[in-house]
Each structure stands twice: as C-alpha cells, then as structure tokens.
Amino acid sequence: MSSLQDLLAQRAEIEKKIADAQREERSVAIAKVKTLMAEHGLTAADLTGKTPTVRAAAAPGPKAGGKVAPKFRNGATGETWSGRGLQPKWLKAALASGAKLEDFAITP
C-alpha cells in the first residue's frame, strides 16, 4: 500500500499532466480556428454575430428607454405624464370623473 505522501505526489503529477494536455489541446484548437477564419475571411465579429446593422450604421438615434417629453399635464398641480407606462393616479381619477384625455394634452 502506498503512503499518503506518495499518493499526493502522484495526484499532483497527474494534475500537472492533465493541465499540460488541456493547454496543448487548447492551443491546437485555437490554431485550427485561426486557420479556418483566415481561409474564409472571418473576423471575431462574424463569430459573435454582432455585426452592425444598416439602421445602426446609418444614424444612431436616441437610446431605448430614455426620457420622453411629457404629453399630458395636470393643470391644477403641474404634474406631467409622457403617455408611456401606467396612467398616473391623478389622470385616472380625472378620466373616471368624466374628463377626456385630450383635456390634458400639452400643445406644442
């Protein structure tokens, strides 16, 4: 029976061999990928699928989720609503009491 020290030394040697084999296989795989990319004229962007679209390349517009100008205003309090998302409580109450949405529209 081997001693604990011998077994630990064997394990360390095997782990080192595994790490070396993984590094070698990885470098071979990278070389193959580079060769294929060169043969077909591919770039890293082609692999990730993050090539610029026609719209994105033409003219970058405002980012999605940005602030939007208010379209409706509460005349009594000055509170505003952009028309996106849930209606504010003041607007719901006013609409429930018979007011029309157009009554709160902000005219340019």
Side-chain angles (χ1 to χ4, degrees):
M1 184 179 224
S2 300
S3 72
L4 179 60
Q5 292 294 51
D6 291 339
L7 293 173
L8 290 174
Q10 288 175 3
R11 181 172 79 181
E13 184 179 332
I14 290 172
E15 287 176 352
K16 183 182 179 308
K17 287 181 182 179
I18 290 171
D20 290 343
Q22 287 175 332
R23 268 193 298 278
E24 180 62 29
E25 286 183 11
R26 180 179 162 93
S27 66
V28 168
I30 290 172
K32 285 181 185 177
V33 170
K34 285 182 178 180
T35 301
L36 285 171
M37 287 176 68
E39 285 177 16
H40 297 283
L42 300 173
T43 65
D46 295 327
L47 298 179
T48 60
K50 294 187 179 182
T51 56
T53 62
V54 174
R55 178 177 180 214
K63 291 185 178 182
K67 286 203 167 193
V68 178
K71 295 180 182 171
F72 304 96
R73 179 179 322 247
N74 183 346
T77 63
E79 294 175 284
T80 59
W81 179 52
S82 67
R84 293 187 177 181
L86 297 175
Q87 289 179 343
K89 291 179 182 178
W90 60 265
L91 184 57
K92 279 186 180 180
L95 293 175
S97 67
K100 294 182 180 178
L101 188 60
E102 296 81 30
D103 297 338
F104 300 97
I106 299 174
T107 56

